[in-house]
């Protein structure tokens, strides 16, 4: 089943992830996880804002409206086929392990976490604080934090996602008053472990937001280590995810087990879905 449509009415249900048929083969071979690249919000990107607006659609999360570009329209701007999103799209896959990690569309738990943050005023005192949207995809969590004057860094595995989706979304949603203001934001592509290494001298974050990033159990340790290396000692993490990812293997109970065994963090479930696919939000912080 092709499940990679940019949704019409809101984030789609995507609990049964569609894998590319080459996935099992790739797993048997050694996977190469991409190196880190920093993508800069240069002036040429600002000049495309009207085009990005034409390619976007408005979504409402309670009373918060956010514009999101259609990745399908955005990839039409690309002349070559050498584009991870386009290839995944052509192969009808949500994910191609270590090649394309699914960031071009809005995943369901992003909506959960946005609504949770709105209802619980999570970003109320966040002005001037450092926030990381880890595995950002469309970047809506980070954009929401930036609305509240946080300094946000966006990380996604795929450079294409940052260039074609995240950065356009940032530019069409945030009213930049000055060039300097937008230059405080940072965008990094590449694998989590390489991101940790490449940014080891950068300040740690007050808040890390992450949605739908635990579907692959092989990456759990890497993700937890990223949390440990990037969070301030007093910082908070909100991790939104499905309880179980059918067909892929990851799930929140496994990730919680790792947190317990690892012994650096404590976590609690702060929200659970009551309808539809089982989804939860974990609040994670360092043990004091
Ligand atoms: C399913 S998408 C979720 C995107 C977005 N957070 C959302 O909820 O709409 C998973 C995201 O996790 C990130 N990701 C997964 N594995 C990764 C890895 N090994 N290194 C870096 N990022 C990874 C990718 O950036 C990808 O966008």
């Amino acid at each position: 089943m092709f499940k990679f449509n940019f949704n019409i009415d809101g984030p789609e249900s995507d609990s049964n992830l569609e894998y590319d048929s080459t996935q099992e083969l790739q797993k048997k071979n050694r996977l190469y996880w991409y190196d880190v690249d920093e993508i800069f919000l240069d002036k040429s990107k600002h000049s495309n804002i009207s085009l990005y607006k034409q390619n976007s659609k408005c979504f409402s999360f309670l009373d918060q409206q956010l514009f999101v570009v259609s990745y399908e329209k955005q990839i039409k701007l690309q002349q070559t086929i050498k584009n991870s999103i386009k290839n995944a799209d052509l192969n009808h896959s949500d994910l191609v392990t270590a090649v394309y990690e699914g960031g071009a569309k809005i995943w369901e738990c992003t909506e959960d976490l946005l609504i949770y943050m709105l209802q619980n005023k999570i970003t109320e005192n966040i002005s001037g604080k450092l926030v990381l949207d880890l595995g950002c995809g469309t970047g809506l969590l980070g954009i929401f934090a930036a609305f509240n004057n946080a300094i946000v860094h966006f990380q996604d595995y795929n450079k294409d996602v940052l260039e074609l989706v995240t950065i356009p979304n940032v530019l069409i949603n945030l009213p930049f008053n000055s060039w300097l203001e937008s230059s405080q934001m940072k965008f990094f592509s590449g694998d989590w472990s390489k991101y940790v290494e490449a940014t080891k001298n950068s300040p740690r974050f007050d808040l890390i937001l992450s949605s739908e990033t635990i579907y692959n159990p092989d990456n759990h340790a890497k993700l937890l280590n990223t949390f440990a290396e990037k969070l301030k000692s007093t910082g908070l993490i909100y991790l939104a995810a499905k309880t179980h990812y059918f067909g892929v293997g990851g799930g929140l109970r496994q990730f919680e087990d790792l947190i317990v065994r690892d012994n650096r963090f404590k976590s609690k479930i702060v929200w659970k879905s009551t309808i539809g696919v089982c989804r939860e939000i974990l609040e994670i912080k360092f043990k004091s």
Side-chain angles (χ1 to χ4, degrees), residues 22-31 216 218 248:
T22 57
Q23 289 256 316
E24 286 312 309
L25 194 64
Q26 282 181 321
K27 261 197 158 173
K28 283 180 196 138
N29 298 325
R30 231 184 139 83
L31 293 172
N216 181 352
D218 293 344
V248 189

Side-chain angles (χ1 to χ4, degrees), residues 11 14 17 33-34 94-95 98 100-111 133-141 155-158 161-162 188-195 209-216 219 222-223 226 240 242 245:
D14 39 31
L17 301 181
W33 292 90
Y34 296 161
D94 284 338
L95 300 163
Y100 169 65
E101 291 289 341
K105 66 169 188 173
I106 313 172
W107 292 67
E108 231 179 343
C109 297
T110 273
E111 180 177 25
D133 186 344
L134 188 67
C136 63
T138 56
L140 298 190
L141 301 173
Q155 179 282 331
D156 195 88
Y157 183 66
N158 291 98
V161 168
L162 291 168
F188 295 96
S189 64
D191 184 45
W192 288 318
S193 54
K194 295 175 183 183
Y195 164 71
L209 304 168
S210 199
S211 158
E212 308 252 16
T213 44
I214 58 141
Y215 49 85
N216 181 352
N219 279 334
K222 223 190 263 184
L223 179 63
T226 307
K242 300 197 172 78
Y245 286 86

Side-chain angles (χ1 to χ4, degrees), residues 233-275:
S233 57
T234 53
L236 262 187
I237 297 163
Y238 287 100
L239 174 68
K242 300 197 172 78
T243 310
H244 190 71
Y245 286 86
F246 296 100
V248 189
L252 269 172
R253 298 294 80 79
Q254 268 170 292
F255 194 70
E256 275 179 329
D257 282 351
L258 179 65
I259 291 175
V260 171
R261 279 185 280 120
D262 175 83
N263 208 24
R264 285 178 284 186
F265 291 103
K266 54 186 174 187
S267 72
K268 64 176 179 194
I269 300 162
V270 291
W271 179 87
K272 262 187 178 187
S273 62
T274 49
I275 45 166

Side-chain angles (χ1 to χ4, degrees), residues 104-151:
K105 66 169 188 173
I106 313 172
W107 292 67
E108 231 179 343
C109 297
T110 273
E111 180 177 25
D112 296 335
L113 188 47
L114 270 173
I115 291 174
Y116 178 81
M117 289 199 291
L118 279 159
Q119 287 176 333
N120 295 279
K121 301 187 178 10
I122 299 297
T123 52
E124 205 169 54
N125 297 315
I126 212 169
S127 181
K129 299 264 168 70
L130 260 183
V131 174
L132 174 63
D133 186 344
L134 188 67
C136 63
T138 56
L140 298 190
L141 301 173
I143 290 169
F144 179 62
F147 273 141
N148 293 277
N149 300 315
I151 299 164

